Amino acid sequence: MKYWLLKSEPEAWSWDNQVKEGASMWEGVRNYQARNNLKEMKKNDLCFFYHSVKQKSIVGIVKVVKEHYPDPTDETKRFVVVDVKATKKLRNPVSLDQIKGNNKLKDIALVKQSRLSVMPIKKIEWEEIIKLSSISYNK
DNA sequence: GCCAACGTTGGC
DNA sequence: GCCAACGTTGGC
């Protein structure tokens, strides 16, 4: 069981869209590194759902419900999608600033490779972010 | 809105 | 196969 982070601009595809839609394709990835990550995802892996550009926060968790298959929106047939489903909203969003300010998260791919849209998350990083989301809730 | 950091494309 | 030119992403 692995952990991941998926990025989306909320104006293109938001957490609320994901909740409303239920299980849906994670489509439109056109980057090889991101694609390779999609291919490694297994059913029931969990992914943070990150809102880029505007909110710049992790807002929820989606689960992989179907492993990779060809992206029907890709004419070149080179890229793939997985199906994901919203499973849990974070109690409080965890912002990029919070992540950057946390020593345990300083090597996270989100910061190191700011342009990558599908990235692996280490278990300790996952747990730390979960913790941050509850701590901010208590404040 | 700007631009740094990347990724991709295509001419050579 | 190199690399200049171009396009895109996403933080600021």
Side-chain angles (χ1 to χ4, degrees):
Chain A
M1 154 92 159
K2 287 190 176 171
Y3 299 103
W4 309 90
L5 183 144
L6 297 172
K7 245 190 227 179
S8 183
E9 285 194 43
E11 289 185 353
W13 180 254
S14 71
W15 172 254
D16 287 342
N17 291 138
Q18 186 69 59
V19 170
K20 212 177 295 172
E21 193 73 18
S24 65
M25 285 189 292
W26 194 265
E27 64 179 42
V29 169
R30 295 293 182 270
N31 167 287
Y32 289 105
Q33 207 182 338
R35 180 200 65 176
N36 293 342
N37 290 332
L38 285 179
K39 284 186 169 180
E40 282 186 33
M41 287 185 185
K42 297 291 178 202
K43 200 176 174 186
N44 295 324
D45 278 359
L46 297 176
C47 319
F48 282 131
F49 192 109
Y50 176 80
H51 277 168
S52 67
V53 182
K54 279 201 106 177
Q55 198 185 356
K56 284 179 287 177
S57 300
I58 295 170
V59 293
I61 295 170
V62 296
K63 186 162 76 176
V64 177
V65 293
K66 190 175 177 189
E67 290 175 19
H68 71 91
Y69 57 98
D71 186 339
T73 69
D74 170 34
E75 288 173 9
T76 68
K77 309 286 176 219
R78 290 181 294 186
F79 295 97
V80 300
V81 296
V82 296
D83 285 359
V84 295
K85 187 176 182 225
T87 57
K88 200 167 200 269
K89 188 176 182 172
L90 292 192
R91 291 189 190 173
N92 238 18
V94 176
S95 72
L96 184 61
D97 284 345
Q98 277 177 285
I99 290 166
K100 282 186 165 174
N102 186 302
N103 204 40
K104 287 183 190 161
L105 300 174
K106 66 179 188 335
D107 289 327
I108 198 169
L110 184 65
V111 178
K112 289 270 160 133
Q113 273 179 283
S114 64
R115 293 187 53 197
L116 189 60
S117 64
V118 180
M119 67 192 77
I121 295 288
K122 297 189 197 84
K123 190 159 188 278
I124 26 164
E125 293 167 344
W126 180 273
E127 285 163 359
E128 186 64 16
I129 288 165
I130 295 291
K131 204 157 86 183
L132 283 178
S133 103
S134 349
I135 286 168
S136 46
Y137 174 72
N138 292 332
K139 274 184 185 166

